[in-house]
């Protein structure tokens, strides 16, 4: 019982040390053809979420951007661009838009 408890505590300590690593990166893309409706947004979100390391996807028809947050230890910008191409979009990285307070 003590060994199991010790192993659990050791595992949780290792997990929390790993979680503290700031490995998330956010990149903003414009896509061609441009998104024109909610179906475009849904197509992008539902397909990109299966890419390894992708954690969050925000897409806006109004702003014409797709913002992807991913674990840079699992994927990269160079791997995400072809992921867009697989679903019929040419993605171009752009500067992140400034957040309005």
């Amino acid at each position: 019982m003590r060994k199991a408890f010790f192993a659990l505590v050791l595992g949780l300590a290792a997990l929390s040390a790993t979680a503290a690593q700031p490995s998330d990166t956010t990149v903003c893309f414009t896509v061609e053809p441009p998104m024109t409706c909610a179906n475009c947004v849904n197509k992008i979100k539902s397909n990109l979420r299966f890419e390894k390391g992708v954690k969050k996807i925000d897409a806006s028809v109004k702003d014409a951007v797709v913002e992807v947050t991913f674990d840079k230890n699992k994927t990269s910008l160079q791997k995400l661009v072809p992921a867009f191409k697989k679903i019929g979009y040419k993605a171009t990285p752009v500067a992140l838009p400034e957040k309005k307070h």
Side-chain angles (χ1 to χ4, degrees):
M1 181 75 166
R2 282 185 178 177
K3 288 182 183 180
F5 179 75
F6 181 75
L8 178 64
V9 170
L10 189 60
L12 288 174
L15 182 62
S16 65
T18 305
Q21 300 291 332
S23 62
D24 288 355
T25 302
T26 301
V27 178
C28 213
F29 298 93
T30 58
V31 292
E32 195 60 45
M35 297 179 292
T36 57
C37 63
N39 287 334
C40 299
V41 170
N42 291 335
K43 180 179 180 180
I44 289 170
K45 284 183 165 185
S46 63
N47 284 282
L48 284 184
R49 70 187 174 114
F50 290 111
E51 292 298 317
K52 186 175 182 174
V54 171
K55 295 188 171 190
K56 183 178 175 187
I57 306 161
D58 289 319
S60 170
V61 173
K62 179 184 167 206
D63 297 330
V65 294
V66 179
E67 192 173 304
V68 181
T69 302
F70 60 93
D71 183 339
K72 66 182 177 187
N73 294 324
K74 295 183 180 180
T75 194
S76 67
L77 177 67
Q78 292 75 23
K79 291 179 183 175
L80 290 174
V81 171
F84 279 94
K85 189 172 184 174
K86 285 192 286 188
I87 56 173
Y89 290 95
K90 178 185 175 196
T92 305
V94 295
L96 287 172
E98 289 187 28
K99 300 286 183 185
K100 295 179 182 173
H101 301 289

